[in-house]
Each structure stands twice: as C-alpha cells, then as structure tokens.
C-alpha cells in the first residue's frame, strides 16, 4: 500500500501532503454533494407543500363557486317571489278600484 501511495503521490512529507489534500478535496466534494442532495429534498418538500396549497386553493375556489351559485339561486328565487308579490298587490289594487267603481256607481 505504501509503495503504491509513494508511487502515486511521491515519498516523504510532500507525498503525504498531496495525499491529505486529495482526501480533503474528496471530503469537500462529499459535503457539497450532501448539501446538494439536502437542497433537492428541501425543494421537493417545498414543491409538495406548494402542490398541497394549490389543491386546497382549488377546493376552496370550488366551494366558493358553489356557495355563490347557491346565493345567486336564492336571489333569483327571491326576485321571482317579489315579482309575484308585486303582481298580487297590483291585482288587489285593481280589484279594489273596480269594487270602488262598482260601489260608487250604485250609490249615484
């Protein structure tokens, strides 16, 4: 093993220093790789959270749309009922006028 290391990096302190520098470089690359993997997982987690938020927003939008449709339906029914009430009042007023005219004509 020593002869292989000596052949690759040289003998003595300079060979040891070169070997240590390479080991440190590998260690830094490993740390950078781990940081990259952590960042990828964090990004994936954030993406998953965002997709969950988007789904929730869509569901809330659909619920709001359904609520709005119900309100508009109720408003339409109310408008229809008010129109019927107006018509009944007009018919009643017309009936009262006719009755007054009939009764007024008999008195004269």
């Amino acid at each position: 093993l020593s002869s292989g290391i000596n052949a690759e990096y040289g003998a003595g302190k300079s060979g040891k220093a070169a070997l240590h520098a390479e080991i440190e470089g590998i260690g830094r690359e490993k740390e950078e790789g781990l940081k990259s993997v952590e960042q990828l997982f964090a990004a994936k987690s954030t993406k998953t959270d965002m997709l969950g938020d988007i789904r929730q927003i869509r569901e809330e939008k659909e619920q709001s749309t359904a609520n709005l449709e119900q309100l508009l339906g109720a408003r339409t029914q109310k408008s229809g009922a008010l129109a019927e009430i107006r018509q009944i009042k007009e018919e009643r007023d017309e009936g009262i006028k006719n009755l007054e005219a009939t009764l007024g004509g008999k008195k004269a």
Side-chain angles (χ1 to χ4, degrees), residues 34-51:
L34 288 174
K35 287 179 184 177
S36 294
V37 169
E38 289 172 353
Q39 289 173 346
L40 287 172
F41 277 115
K44 185 174 182 179
S45 176
T46 300
K47 181 180 176 183
T48 302
D49 292 345
M50 289 171 55
L51 289 174

Side-chain angles (χ1 to χ4, degrees), residues 34-81:
L34 288 174
K35 287 179 184 177
S36 294
V37 169
E38 289 172 353
Q39 289 173 346
L40 287 172
F41 277 115
K44 185 174 182 179
S45 176
T46 300
K47 181 180 176 183
T48 302
D49 292 345
M50 289 171 55
L51 289 174
D53 290 345
I54 290 169
R55 282 188 200 101
Q56 183 177 354
I57 290 168
R58 280 187 185 151
E59 290 170 3
E60 290 173 358
K61 178 186 166 199
E62 289 171 4
Q63 184 61 46
S64 294
T65 300
N67 291 344
L68 182 58
E69 288 171 351
Q70 287 176 342
L71 289 172
L72 290 174
R75 188 173 184 183
T76 300
Q77 288 176 346
K78 181 179 175 184
S79 295

Side-chain angles (χ1 to χ4, degrees), residues 86-104:
R86 282 189 208 101
Q87 183 178 355
I88 291 169
K89 283 182 179 179
E90 289 172 4
E91 290 172 359
R92 182 199 65 191
D93 291 346
E94 187 67 31
I96 290 171
K97 286 180 187 175
N98 290 340
L99 183 59
E100 287 175 344
T102 302
L103 292 175

